[in-house]
């Protein structure tokens, strides 16, 4: 199995090369030449641990890793950093199944991929005789940053620089990042939004002069953003796992169709579900839930992707995104893997901020259903679910739950549905508690944490306990234009 660039079908790499490089030339994304079919039965998968399921998914993509290497990566990632042996438990509540992807070190679903990426990357570097140190550059809308920092901190042979939009992340997210230990870490708040941070990072990757300059210093860039196949592919595993668990628990029979509903930003998580479907998991609809930055909803409705609109700061900041990078992989697929056609559309996006796909391409998107939730609807969803069941969900998951409820109402489709639950409510305590009762608006962040623990009858996660009294170790701010300088001064 090799990977090929969405922008040039002659640019073919092995899995380990793709993981190391992150982004293909000319800002292309690596995609598998073919999405492989699972070669073990659901029945066998249903008896396996999370780690074993993950192995049987990833081995089909990362074919230049030996079994020993891959199992080592998996076992190093999905260990006691997670606060449950199940790694990704399914919670049945209010006629849906919440797939809790937030039991890792930083209590958001990014841990599912970012706890394994450093191991995949070091193994890849060894395989390819890389002597440079690897510099991870990451733009974050909040959750990727800390998850990447946690994954890479103190990993020998790596450095990591994280850029986040100053004022665009929750206080708890910011504290998680700026208290990070590790000599090889740097955290910078930029005067700009997430898209500007992401564009700035992409520019540095593409800047051959800069790449040459740092090469002479003994470094090379790589990406921990969700465009790296080392992040995308591990995410496929939990959709396979959740289906197998539904079968094992007798909630469905083997072969029954399910729907999946995903709170979406950069389109990585839902694309992983689409890969799982194409590997043979019986998934009917992929419900793509957006917040008020509803560029994807409009795209699925009209076939026009148009980022020319106001950027809204919401209480689900990890979905405040107008350029959903991973969508390019889907576009490439529905263009019949025609790199030239894809390049044309992506050039339109770069030049005018929009593109339109053909009717034929649109017809290949029938598996997807898009809708969005307003801020008010999201808050109401948290409160209503809590009042009804006592289960407290975070703002991102609430966007998905709200969209799922609308979907059922509009379509009458009651197919059993897995909702990707992407963050612990503790990560967005303020917004969650304010949704439950406006009396909390004036409370202190950590008093709210204690109260949430009481109301939800859930123990305070370690990730929150840790930052309560931690020192602030990073206090760097820069302009969008100053990002390169922030990186090169750190490497000197
Ligand atoms: C990153 C993130 C999302 C969006 O996931 P994508 O893969 O970027 O679509 C949703 N919810 C939370 C909590 C996240 O951290």
């Amino acid at each position: 199995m090799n990977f090929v660039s969405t922008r040039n079908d002659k640019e073919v790499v092995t899995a380990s090369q793709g993981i190391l490089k992150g982004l293909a030339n000319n800002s292309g994304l690596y995609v598998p030449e073919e999405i492989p079919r699972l070669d073990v039965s659901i029945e066998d998968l249903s008896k396996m641990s999370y780690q074993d399921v993950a192995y049987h998914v990833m081995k089909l993509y990362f074919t230049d890793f030996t079994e020993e290497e891959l199992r080592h990566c998996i076992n190093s990632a999905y260990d006691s950093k997670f606060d449950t042996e199940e790694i990704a438990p399914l919670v049945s509540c209010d006629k849906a199944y919440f797939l809790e992807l937030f039991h890792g070190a930083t209590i958001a679903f990014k841990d599912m991929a970012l706890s394994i990426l450093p191991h995949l990357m070091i193994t890849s570097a060894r395989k390819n005789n890389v002597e440079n140190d690897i510099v991870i550059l990451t733009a974050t809308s909040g959750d990727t940053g800390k998850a990447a920092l946690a994954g890479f901190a103190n990993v020998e042979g790596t450095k990591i620089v994280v850029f986040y939009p100053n004022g665009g992340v929750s206080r708890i997210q910011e504290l998680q990042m700026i208290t990070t230990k590790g000599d090889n870490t740097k955290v910078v708040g930029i005067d700009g939004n997430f898209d500007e941070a992401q564009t700035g990072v992409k520019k540095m990757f593409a800047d051959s002069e800069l790449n040459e300059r740092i090469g002479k210093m003994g470094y090379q860039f790589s990406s921990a953003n969700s465009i790296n196949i080392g992040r995308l592919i591990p995410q496929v595993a939990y959709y396979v796992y959740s289906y197998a668990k539904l079968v094992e628990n007798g909630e469905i029979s083997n072969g029954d169709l399910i729907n999946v509903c995903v709170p979406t930003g950069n389109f990585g998580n839902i694309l992983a579900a689409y890969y799982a479907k194409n590997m043979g998991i019986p998934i009917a609809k992929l419900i793509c839930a957006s917040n008020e930055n509803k560029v994807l909803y409009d795209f699925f409705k009209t076939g026009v992707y148009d980022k020319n609109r106001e950027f809204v700061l919401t209480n689900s900041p990890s979905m405040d995104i107008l350029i959903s990078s991973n969508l390019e992989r889907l576009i490439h697929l529905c263009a019949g893997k025609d790199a030239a056609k894809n390049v044309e559309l992506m050039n339109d996006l770069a030049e005018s901020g929009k593109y339109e796909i053909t009717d034929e391409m649109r017809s290949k998107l029938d598996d997807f259903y898009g809708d969005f939730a307003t801020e008010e609807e999201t808050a109401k969803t948290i409160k209503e679910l809590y009042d009804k069941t006592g289960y407290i969900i975070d703002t991102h998951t609430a966007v998905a739950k709200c969209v799922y409820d609308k979907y059922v109402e509009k379509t009458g489709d009651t197919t059993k549905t897995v909702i990707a639950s992407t963050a612990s409510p503790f990560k967005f305590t303020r917004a969650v508690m304010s949704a439950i009762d406006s009396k909390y608006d004036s409370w202190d962040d950590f008093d709210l944490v204690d109260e949430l623990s009481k109301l939800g009858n859930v123990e305070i996660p370690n990730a929150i306990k840790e930052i309560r009294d931690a020192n602030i170790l990073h206090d760097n701010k820069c302009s969008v234009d100053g990002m390169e300088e922030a990186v090169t001064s750190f490497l000197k």
Side-chain angles (χ1 to χ4, degrees):
M1 160 80 71
N2 283 316
F3 288 79
V4 52
S5 167
T6 51
R7 300 200 184 183
N8 176 0
D9 53 23
K10 303 279 177 325
E11 189 183 343
V12 180
V13 294
T14 62
S16 64
Q17 289 166 341
I19 289 167
L20 273 178
K21 222 173 145 205
L23 202 61
N25 295 333
N26 304 317
S27 303
L29 307 186
Y30 292 117
V31 287
E33 283 178 320
E34 291 290 335
I35 296 177
R37 302 285 296 183
L38 284 164
D39 65 359
V40 269
S41 67
I42 303 260
E43 177 159 13
D44 287 343
L45 289 164
S46 72
K47 298 188 188 74
M48 289 182 197
S49 66
Y50 187 85
Q51 292 80 354
D52 283 341
V53 171
Y55 172 70
H56 286 286
V57 171
M58 290 186 224
K59 72 170 192 203
L60 300 172
Y61 293 90
F62 301 153
T63 52
D64 64 335
F65 285 62
T66 65
E67 170 163 3
E68 193 190 349
E69 285 170 338
L70 194 51
R71 286 205 185 265
H72 176 75
C73 290
I74 289 169
N75 293 334
S76 310
Y78 306 114
D79 61 5
S80 58
K81 290 191 286 301
F82 284 75
D83 65 12
T84 159
E85 254 174 53
E86 288 175 275
I87 306 296
L90 265 179
V91 174
S92 169
C93 180
D94 197 31
K95 299 192 224 96
Y97 300 93
F98 290 85
L99 177 61
E100 293 189 347
L101 302 173
F102 55 75
H103 288 274
T106 75
I107 59 177
F109 101 95
K110 303 291 193 290
D111 291 325
M112 299 303 297
L114 280 164
S115 49
I116 190 165
L117 183 68
H119 302 288
L120 294 172
M121 216 171 249
I122 294 167
T123 310
S124 298
R126 244 190 333 250
K127 279 187 167 315
N128 290 279
N129 305 316
V130 168
E131 303 203 340
N132 287 335
D133 277 9
I134 291 166
V135 180
I136 303 294
L137 291 186
T138 294
T140 183
S141 56
D143 290 334
T144 298
K146 180 60 188 188
L149 288 162
F152 283 94
N154 294 320
V155 171
E156 210 166 308
T158 70
K159 287 190 192 291
I160 172 165
V161 186
V162 171
F163 295 97
Y164 69 94
N166 207 8
V169 300
S170 82
R171 181 62 186 152
I172 293 205
Q173 286 178 313
E174 183 173 41
L175 275 173
Q176 280 189 304
M177 287 191 277
I178 64 181
T179 58
T180 301
K181 295 183 191 135
D183 288 343
N184 64 335
T185 65
K186 176 159 178 165
V187 181
V188 187
I190 69 153
D191 300 326
N193 62 36
F194 169 70
D195 285 320
E196 289 168 302
Q198 178 154 267
T199 304
V201 164
K202 280 189 182 169
K203 227 195 252 163
M204 285 188 265
F205 281 124
D207 182 340
S208 46
E209 185 273 327
L210 174 64
N211 279 271
E212 203 171 299
R213 196 149 32 100
I214 67 155
K216 284 185 189 139
M217 297 158 73
Y219 296 110
Q220 69 189 59
F221 288 140
S222 191
S223 163
N225 269 21
S226 64
I227 48 179
N228 194 310
I229 53 165
R231 275 187 62 183
L232 178 65
I233 302 307
Q235 292 177 179
V236 179
Y238 48 74
Y239 289 107
V240 174
Y241 179 75
S242 68
Y243 188 88
K245 283 297 131 182
L246 286 173
V247 171
E248 192 197 34
N249 298 343
E251 302 285 347
I252 57 171
S253 303
N254 191 351
D256 286 354
L257 286 165
I258 61 165
N259 292 333
V260 169
C261 179
V262 185
T264 297
N266 226 357
F267 210 76
N269 201 1
I270 194 166
L271 187 71
Y274 184 69
Y275 276 34
K277 172 177 170 130
N278 284 281
M279 291 180 79
I281 296 298
I283 294 173
K285 284 284 176 202
L286 297 133
I287 304 167
C288 175
S290 301
N291 65 20
E292 289 181 10
N293 295 292
K294 59 183 184 60
V295 80
L296 288 165
Y297 162 72
D298 293 335
F299 170 69
F300 285 118
K301 209 171 80 173
T302 64
V304 177
Y305 192 93
D306 185 356
K307 72 158 185 113
N308 300 304
R309 60 182 74 207
E310 199 189 331
F311 182 88
V312 188
L313 287 178
T314 72
N315 282 320
S316 44
S318 304
M319 297 158 67
D320 288 348
I321 287 173
L322 293 181
I323 303 178
S324 296
S325 299
N326 273 296
L327 185 65
E328 179 172 340
R329 292 186 158 113
L330 183 63
I331 298 292
H332 175 259
L333 261 184
C334 67
K337 303 188 183 172
D338 181 341
K341 177 75 198 155
N342 178 58
V343 166
E344 203 180 292
L345 296 172
M346 294 308 136
N347 285 346
D348 288 349
L349 181 65
E351 280 155 25
S352 66
K354 66 183 210 178
Y355 61 80
E356 178 165 12
I357 62 170
T358 61
D359 287 342
E360 200 204 330
M361 288 172 72
R362 275 186 81 180
S363 68
K364 295 185 189 154
L365 295 177
D366 284 348
D367 292 342
F368 289 87
Y369 179 95
D371 207 341
F372 71 102
T374 64
E375 288 293 271
E376 202 184 331
E377 289 171 329
T378 304
K380 199 164 145 232
T381 301
I382 294 173
K383 178 167 175 57
E384 284 179 356
L385 188 65
Y386 170 66
D387 286 345
K388 193 164 158 190
T389 67
Y391 187 55
I392 303 181
I393 54 176
D394 98 290
T395 45
H396 303 74
T397 309
V399 168
K401 174 67 163 76
C402 177
V403 163
Y404 174 59
D405 290 343
K406 287 187 190 179
Y407 170 80
V408 174
E409 200 181 301
K410 282 182 194 162
T411 63
D413 178 7
T414 54
T415 303
K416 298 215 164 133
T417 296
V418 168
I419 296 177
S421 183
T422 51
S424 158
F426 285 95
K427 197 147 191 178
F428 300 94
T429 312
R430 176 162 297 287
V432 167
M433 294 302 279
S434 292
I436 290 174
D437 194 326
S438 58
K439 78 175 183 201
Y440 294 123
D441 291 359
S442 59
W443 286 35
D444 163 86
D445 279 309
F446 286 103
D447 291 339
L448 287 174
V449 164
D450 292 330
E451 184 78 355
L452 172 57
S453 169
K454 245 185 270 164
L455 289 192
N457 198 19
V458 202
E459 211 186 310
I460 300 173
N462 273 333
I464 298 291
K465 286 186 197 153
E466 276 169 10
I467 55 170
R468 249 182 148 138
D469 309 302
N471 293 324
I472 290 175
L473 302 173
H474 302 267
D475 182 20
N476 307 300
K477 301 281 180 290
C478 79
S479 65
V480 174
D481 291 337
M483 289 170 66
E484 181 180 324
E485 167 63 22
V487 172
T488 49
S489 66
F490 177 55
L491 298 183
K492 263 175 200 148

